[in-house]
Amino acid sequence: MIYDDQLFNLLDQADELNSMILESECFKQYRQHQLALQQHAEVSAMRKNLLKLKERYDEVMRFGRYHPDYMETLLTTRRAKKEYDLHPVVAEAKKSEMALQTLLDEILFIISRSVSDEVKVESGNPFFTTEHSCSGGCSCSA
């Protein structure tokens, strides 16, 4: 790799873009919801319980349907996971995480398309398509 003024300029612009993302309302909401998630006592208890259930689930799944507690463990774990996911604090945290991920996907898409239409953009968002572009309709603004 050749280190020249053009490369350093590009890296400076990347740092500037990073700063803009970190200052965005989308990122601020994400951090706020993550902090609330970590500090909420009920959610912490639910998460600990879910981890215990997951350990039990993994143990039972080694034997599959032949384990005597298979169905009970499966249903108990699913119910606990659903209850955790539907808790308002958890749901808001996941929603803000998805909004931030969408913003990052949109930025990546714009950058990749400015380089070449042939560049493949992998996004973890199943609702994000290559036809999607951020033309003022982004869920968050940077």
Side-chain angles (χ1 to χ4, degrees):
M1 178 176 277
I2 299 173
Y3 294 96
D4 60 4
D5 287 340
Q6 187 177 15
L7 176 65
F8 289 122
N9 186 30
L10 186 61
L11 292 173
D12 287 343
Q13 289 175 352
D15 286 340
E16 187 177 329
L17 177 60
N18 185 52
S19 293
M20 290 172 67
I21 292 168
L22 293 176
E23 293 170 9
S24 72
E25 192 60 37
C26 194
F27 182 75
K28 289 176 186 174
Q29 287 177 2
Y30 168 76
R31 292 289 299 156
Q32 178 184 358
H33 287 116
Q34 291 299 313
L35 187 59
L37 190 64
Q38 293 170 1
Q39 295 177 342
H40 198 280
E42 183 182 1
V43 169
S44 292
M46 290 171 77
R47 186 180 320 114
K48 285 178 186 174
N49 181 49
L50 193 57
L51 289 174
K52 283 182 193 175
L53 288 172
K54 186 181 178 324
E55 286 176 15
R56 176 73 177 141
Y57 175 86
D58 290 343
E59 180 183 315
V60 168
M61 286 304 125
R62 288 185 330 170
F63 301 100
R65 290 195 163 116
Y66 302 107
H67 194 285
D69 296 334
Y70 172 79
M71 203 49 136
E72 179 185 340
T73 303
L74 185 70
L75 293 175
T76 303
T77 305
R78 284 184 181 171
R79 281 188 206 115
K81 175 73 169 124
K82 182 178 179 180
E83 183 181 350
Y84 177 79
D85 287 342
L86 293 178
H87 191 284
V89 173
V90 175
E92 283 299 315
K94 288 184 181 230
K95 196 164 94 175
S96 68
E97 183 179 345
M98 181 61 99
L100 179 60
Q101 184 63 54
T102 299
L103 174 64
L104 296 173
D105 290 343
E106 290 171 343
I107 291 169
L108 183 59
F109 179 77
I110 291 168
I111 291 170
S112 68
R113 287 298 176 246
S114 69
V115 172
S116 170
D117 286 340
E118 303 303 315
V119 173
K120 304 290 184 235
V121 178
E122 181 63 37
S123 123
N125 184 346
F127 303 108
F128 187 80
T129 63
T130 55
E131 291 81 35
H132 182 72
S133 66
C134 184
S135 54
C138 296
S139 55
C140 300
S141 57

